[in-house]
Amino acid sequence: MFENVKQTSLLLCFFAVALVYLAHIPRSTTVNLDFVPINHSRTDINRALEFCDALNAPLDTVKDFSDRKRSDRYEHGTNATLVRNAVIWTGRDNGTEILRGSILLDNGIVWRLGSAYEHLIRDDDDVTIIDANGGWVTPGLVDIHSHAGIMSSPFTSGTNNAASPNGPIVPWLRSVDGFDTHDESFRLAVAGGVTTIQVTPANNNAMGGEAFMAKLRSTLDKTPTSMLIEPPCALNGTKPCKDFRWRHLKLACGEDLGSHGHRMDMIWALRAALHKARQLKTAQDTFCSEVEEGVWGGENFPDDLQWQVLVDALRGGVKTTVHCHEVVDLDAIVRLSNEFGFPIHSFQGASEAYLIPSTLNNTWQSETVIVLSATRHRSKRETYRGSEYAPRILANSGIPVAFKSDHPYSNSRYLLQEAQMAHYYGLPGNLALLAVTSIPANAVGLTHRLGTLFEGADADVVLWDSHPLRLGATPLNVWIDGIAQFDEKVADAEPQGSDRGVRPEPPNWDKETREALRWDGLPPLFPSKISTKVSFGRVKEVWTRSRRGEIEVLFPPSYPVKERLANVVVESGKIKCIGTALACLGSREASADIDLHGGSISPSFMSYGSALGLEEIASEPSTGNGVLYDAFVHDIPTILGDAGGVVRAMDALVFSTRNALVAYRSGVTLATSSLRKNVFAGRTPVIAGVSASFRTGFPHAMEQGAIVQTATALHISVGRASLLSSTSSVAVSEQMAGIRRLLMGWEDEKTETGLWFKRASEASSSSPDKHNLRGANEDYN
Ligand SMILES: *[C@@H]1O[C@H](CO)[C@@H](O)[C@H](O)[C@H]1NC(C)=O
Ligand SMILES: *[C@@H]1O[C@H](CO)[C@@H](O)[C@H](O)[C@H]1NC(C)=O
Ligand SMILES: *[C@@H]1O[C@H](CO)[C@@H](O)[C@H](O)[C@H]1NC(C)=O
Ligand SMILES: *[C@@H]1O[C@H](CO)[C@@H](O)[C@H](O)[C@H]1NC(C)=O
Ligand SMILES: *[C@@H]1O[C@H](CO)[C@@H](O)[C@H](O)[C@H]1NC(C)=O
């Protein structure tokens, strides 16, 4: 009996499928519908077909977009804004198009772009008119890797939502579910011209979850959802989805995943997850071919909330971003990409990407954008080979480059500085600006509205106080969806006669770029010695430090040279001559040893309080001093014979670290280094010990003059508990009480603690050394 029922139902079901299938074929067939009883599997097949149609729908968000007259993000009551008399970098034509004129924002989009549009405005129109005064205008910046909102500011245990402890495979999590709309950093990021961010889960999971694209203005709705750009249907569970929108997925590999195993474990975890997704995809494809062939058995569409985003990725509907630094990681991900037919749209971090450009070109069916930090390297071992020349090298290999903040690890507000620094180190200016606008917008599938200025683009616009590639360029105002984010009064966009509006001309780094490649990112950095006498040509300015320690300008204007540029002779560390070639070099035709091309000479810099020379890689204990005892938390080992446990940086000082040599190359010839730790590297003891001063360019401690002062200052570190520290913390009042007690002479002067606190309480500046800083005046760069 049971057997019979089953056979009948299968038969009926097949019949229903066949009917619907035939109905789709455009030829006349007479079917006696009365013959088939009304049965809900008839509606089921329509539903099944909808699912299958959605699977095969084109991945196209751009349809009907170019002629839109109003943005979906337009907020009712927003006035139109005309920014006139501007120099507009549109981002079009490979970042070379510059228009002079106006930009009219209305209905949340760029309404008109280019020439003057005053004639379009009637007197009774509500249009805010801004005179840019010749200032630069760019599209709003796109920060493709930010944890703003999920590691939100103020940073407390309740606002730390970026790193799920339940990994390493959690593709089903969504960053928007932890997105704090009250994050104070949104406004700061906007103050740096950043209008859109990709909110990515942290790097501590191999598949950390779905990322979302958000605009950083407050909305009338005040919700996370209302800040999102083109949220995919999956967000509200619309199934099947007829209205395609990109989804975004965050993957990671390398050292940040340490808590889940090592590299082999992580790549296996990714493979296993992709395998699972591939099985689900195959089941869906089988379902649809059965539906099409009319052999569908009435089952539900195979679906799984946990894995669907990965299936969508295998179907090409997800913009995937992978945080990976080293060659070993990048290579493994490229292999996975090809094994599973899984496109990778961007690699984040990617410290060693510049060493393997052709491998990066081989990801599966995708143009992969390399997302870099311009100069922040060596905080982890896996970033040790990072290079300032990487953006230029990658761009030369035809690989698109973008920059990111990784906020809060670096402040999103300074995203543009990444582009400015990369430009300084040789990335062409057009590409440097594209790297924070249309290239990241492309990597997330949003170029139809973001990252480039054209009529119809989202009205996300920044007016700058100087050329955007000048260090320190700051927005005068920022518009998001046509809404001004700051006070609309604009003044002094372009001070008369200043060169703030001109793109800076970077130095030539050809040699350094070649060396970076030749040495796989670790070129020798030792300074080369020059003879005691050296001459500089074409010097624009000479600054010096007076006997009283003040900075003085020697040239111009106080030096009697008529020409704009001078020759300078330095002998044994002292300036001997500033003047014409005849005066300084002996003849009109003589040329100086070093041509400064209009550069300046100044006293060298000194860094104070950093860990230069005390640790090579902040997160690797073996490259540093190790963990200090905190007398406020633990007992100090008795062998120190000193309850406060004051220690000296001098005892752990190491010469010729890469960080010190890089500092030297950047003009920091002296460092006073302390054992205080960077906030991301753990808690600093209250008593951080006594700092030492040394010369950063010297090869070892025995070289004459390498150590300037063995004991420079007593460092104490008072503060509230940090969420990032692993050790328990001490109340601020207890820290202060302890320090007060020590300053009042509680410890015996025969101990280090007693000695240094006594000197501190007496404000005694004398050190037990005979060394002093006198030599510092004589270091020139
Ligand atoms: C409708 O079709 C299903 C599946 O083929 C079957 O199980 C069910 O008995 C049918 N319902 C009626 C009312 O015939
Ligand atoms: C874009 O600009 C870069 C750098 O200026 C140049 O090398 C590249 O060839 C340009 N690409 C196109 C398609 O014009
Ligand atoms: C729009 O512009 C009008 C006219 O300039 C002005 O009175 C009004 O306050 C503006 N509205 C907003 C929301 O800025
Ligand atoms: C769900 O999201 C889609 C895509 O964003 C949208 O078109 C649809 O209206 C939303 N549905 C509901 C019920 O909110
Ligand atoms: C990478 O691909 C781009 C675009 O197809 C091409 O221009 C470039 O030459 C390739 N670079 C390498 C190193 O293979």
Side-chain angles (χ1 to χ4, degrees):
M1 181 67 188
F2 182 72
E3 201 56 34
N4 267 345
V5 170
K6 195 171 172 200
Q7 273 173 9
T8 323
S9 73
L10 271 178
L11 200 72
L12 281 176
C13 174
F14 175 72
F15 213 93
V17 171
L19 274 181
V20 175
Y21 186 62
L22 287 175
H24 275 251
I25 298 172
R27 78 191 138 115
S28 58
T29 322
T30 357
V31 179
N32 186 355
L33 283 174
D34 294 341
F35 186 74
V36 183
I38 305 277
N39 184 326
H40 90 231
S41 66
R42 161 92 198 224
T43 43
D44 283 350
I45 186 103
N46 283 338
R47 183 101 178 116
L49 280 167
E50 276 181 33
F51 272 102
C52 297
D53 284 349
L55 283 196
N56 301 320
L59 309 179
D60 179 13
T61 53
V62 189
K63 49 185 178 308
D64 308 329
F65 214 88
S66 52
D67 44 342
R68 67 179 175 156
K69 295 284 175 269
R70 172 164 284 193
S71 170
D72 53 339
R73 300 188 44 82
Y74 171 74
E75 288 219 350
H76 192 72
T78 308
N79 277 356
T81 300
L82 179 79
V83 181
R84 70 175 172 208
N85 193 12
V87 182
I88 305 163
W89 182 86
T90 63
R92 291 188 296 202
D93 294 345
N94 196 24
T96 59
E97 184 187 63
I98 291 165
L99 305 175
R100 282 161 209 279
S102 312
I103 178 167
L104 178 60
L105 313 177
D106 200 7
N107 289 320
I109 62 178
V110 174
W111 196 253
R112 290 284 184 276
L113 182 66
S115 34
Y117 293 110
E118 277 85 342
H119 64 277
L120 294 176
I121 298 166
R122 296 187 315 267
D123 284 348
D124 55 349
D125 281 348
D126 283 348
V127 179
T128 308
I129 298 178
I130 305 285
D131 194 334
N133 206 9
W136 285 87
V137 162
T138 69
L141 309 184
V142 178
D143 189 349
I144 188 172
H145 184 167
S146 174
H147 305 299
I150 53 175
M151 288 179 82
S152 80
S153 176
F155 192 49
T156 62
S157 48
T159 53
N160 185 12
N161 289 299
S164 165
N166 303 316
I169 300 293
V170 284
W172 45 84
L173 301 185
R174 295 167 165 180
S175 64
V176 66
D177 293 332
F179 193 69
D180 173 17
T181 53
H182 304 301
D183 188 341
E184 306 270 359
S185 71
F186 294 164
R187 237 180 124 60
L188 288 173
V190 175
V194 176
T195 53
T196 300
I197 61 171
Q198 176 165 229
V199 187
T200 66
N203 306 334
N204 67 320
N205 287 315
M207 273 185 196
E210 255 182 279
F212 285 83
M213 299 300 301
K215 287 214 195 179
L216 292 180
R217 68 171 170 86
S218 50
T219 60
L220 288 175
D221 280 4
K222 295 180 184 281
T223 57
T225 312
S226 61
M227 291 173 76
L228 300 182
I229 308 170
E230 299 192 355
C233 299
L235 185 63
N236 60 20
T238 307
K239 268 194 276 185
C241 184
K242 294 198 186 70
D243 189 10
F244 175 77
R245 304 285 176 80
W246 290 107
R247 298 177 86 171
H248 306 275
L249 183 66
K250 169 74 184 296
L251 271 56
C253 49
E255 292 176 11
D256 288 356
L257 286 100
S259 61
H260 302 294
H262 58 55
R263 288 191 150 80
M264 293 192 285
D265 293 299
M266 284 315 98
I267 298 300
W268 165 248
L270 289 172
R271 284 186 74 211
L274 285 164
H275 178 63
K276 174 111 189 161
R278 186 163 60 183
Q279 285 177 322
L280 182 56
K281 174 173 178 283
T282 306
Q284 292 177 353
D285 291 342
T286 306
F287 173 95
C288 288
S289 45
E290 281 175 8
V291 168
E292 275 183 33
E293 288 159 18
V295 294
W296 178 53
E299 310 83 6
N300 283 333
F301 181 75
D303 195 5
D304 189 324
L305 270 187
Q306 287 194 304
W307 301 104
Q308 188 55 41
V309 66
L310 269 190
V311 177
D312 286 355
L314 293 176
R315 294 190 187 286
V318 179
K319 293 287 183 184
T320 308
T321 188
V322 192
H323 164 99
C324 267
H325 281 289
E326 290 190 86
V327 167
V328 57
D329 303 318
L330 297 163
D331 183 54
I333 297 291
V334 172
R335 260 188 281 117
L336 279 187
S337 160
N338 288 299
E339 181 183 350
F340 290 92
F342 180 69
I344 308 291
H345 299 92
S346 54
F347 276 117
Q348 305 268 354
S351 296
E352 295 187 5
Y354 70 104
L355 300 175
I356 50 164
S358 51
T359 300
L360 304 170
N361 254 2
N362 291 335
T363 54
W364 194 78
Q365 287 191 0
S366 45
E367 184 188 52
T368 307
V369 173
I370 303 301
V371 186
L372 300 168
S373 161
T375 59
R376 275 182 311 124
H377 309 297
R378 293 182 297 281
S379 68
K380 293 187 283 181
R381 195 202 59 90
E382 63 183 358
T383 65
Y384 196 62
R385 288 171 193 268
S387 170
E388 317 65 320
Y389 310 106
R392 168 186 176 178
I393 292 168
L394 286 163
N396 280 348
S397 311
I399 311 261
V401 170
F403 299 104
K404 50 130 190 199
S405 70
D406 199 357
H407 182 95
Y409 295 98
S410 85
N411 191 337
S412 187
R413 180 177 189 173
Y414 301 120
L415 177 67
L416 185 62
Q417 249 183 39
E418 298 289 324
Q420 293 161 347
M421 291 190 287
H423 175 240
Y424 174 76
Y425 285 112
L427 182 66
N430 57 328
L431 301 185
L433 290 178
L434 291 176
V436 286
T437 52
S438 75
I439 291 175
N442 187 37
V444 294
L446 289 173
T447 42
H448 54 286
R449 58 191 300 166
L450 300 180
T452 310
L453 294 177
F454 54 89
E455 289 174 7
D458 281 16
D460 300 345
V461 174
V462 187
L463 171 60
W464 299 92
D465 71 343
S466 36
H467 189 287
L469 288 173
R470 275 201 175 260
L471 276 179
T474 302
L476 293 166
N477 213 337
V478 177
W479 289 265
I480 303 181
D481 299 319
I483 303 168
Q485 299 299 301
F486 299 104
D487 189 346
E488 283 173 11
K489 277 187 248 79
V490 171
D492 296 336
E494 181 85 351
Q496 287 294 313
S498 124
D499 59 2
R500 297 286 302 156
V502 182
R503 181 173 69 85
E505 201 51 58
N508 181 330
W509 301 104
D510 290 352
K511 178 166 161 280
E512 288 78 2
T513 305
R514 280 194 305 273
E515 292 277 287
L517 275 175
R518 179 179 158 216
W519 296 90
D520 273 3
L522 301 178
L525 295 177
F526 278 111
S528 50
K529 279 212 161 130
I530 45 176
S531 57
T532 53
K533 184 172 171 181
V534 61
S535 57
F536 299 93
R538 294 203 277 170
V539 180
K540 192 171 122 202
E541 289 161 325
V542 181
W543 306 72
T544 191
R545 197 182 282 123
S546 73
R547 288 201 154 276
R548 288 165 47 214
E550 286 153 3
I551 297 291
E552 286 176 353
V553 189
L554 291 187
F555 172 81
S558 59
Y559 209 83
V561 175
K562 297 277 187 310
E563 287 132 83
R564 225 169 63 78
L565 301 176
N567 291 276
V568 176
V569 175
V570 177
E571 201 173 337
S572 303
K574 294 219 159 23
I575 291 178
K576 282 281 158 38
C577 179
I578 302 177
T580 59
L582 182 62
C584 291
L585 310 176
S587 97
R588 251 180 248 289
E589 288 74 36
S591 55
D593 302 329
I594 297 170
D595 184 348
L596 285 198
H597 297 276
S600 306
I601 294 179
S602 80
S604 61
F605 306 130
M606 169 173 151
S607 89
Y608 183 84
S610 83
L612 267 188
L614 294 173
E615 65 186 16
E616 183 70 320
I617 302 175
S619 66
E620 289 295 334
S622 65
T623 71
N625 176 50
V627 180
L628 285 186
Y629 282 98
D630 188 345
F632 285 74
V633 178
H634 309 271
D635 284 337
I636 299 292
T638 5
I639 192 165
L640 295 186
D642 174 357
V646 168
V647 291
R648 300 192 185 196
M650 186 59 220
D651 296 331
L653 191 62
V654 175
F655 278 78
S656 21
T657 60
R658 290 199 84 73
N659 291 324
L661 293 172
V662 168
Y664 181 83
R665 294 198 157 213
S666 309
V668 180
T669 62
L670 270 172
T672 290
S673 291
S674 91
L675 294 163
R676 223 190 124 262
K677 279 272 190 186
N678 168 300
V679 62
F680 288 117
R683 188 170 186 281
T684 291
V686 176
I687 302 173
V690 177
S691 53
S693 302
F694 69 104
R695 285 194 163 76
T696 51
F698 278 51
H700 51 73
M702 306 307 270
E703 184 122 331
Q704 178 95 38
I707 295 162
V708 177
Q709 199 160 264
T710 58
T712 305
L714 173 65
H715 294 248
I716 55 179
S717 179
V718 179
R720 294 178 198 277
S722 156
L723 200 57
L724 298 163
S725 80
S726 44
T727 47
S728 64
S729 55
V730 188
V732 174
S733 56
E734 282 162 9
Q735 299 170 38
M736 293 306 292
I739 291 162
R740 190 177 293 118
R741 186 176 197 192
L742 289 169
L743 287 170
M744 285 161 71
W746 177 66
E747 269 217 51
D748 190 315
E749 253 179 80
K750 290 199 192 74
T751 68
E752 288 271 57
T753 306
L755 172 72
W756 294 106
F757 272 90
K758 177 160 193 296
R759 284 171 186 273
S761 69
E762 289 166 355
S764 150
S765 61
S766 71
S767 124
D769 295 311
K770 294 281 173 285
H771 305 282
N772 58 40
L773 283 169
R774 190 157 39 93
N777 260 346
E778 288 145 24
D779 287 321
Y780 280 96
N781 245 294

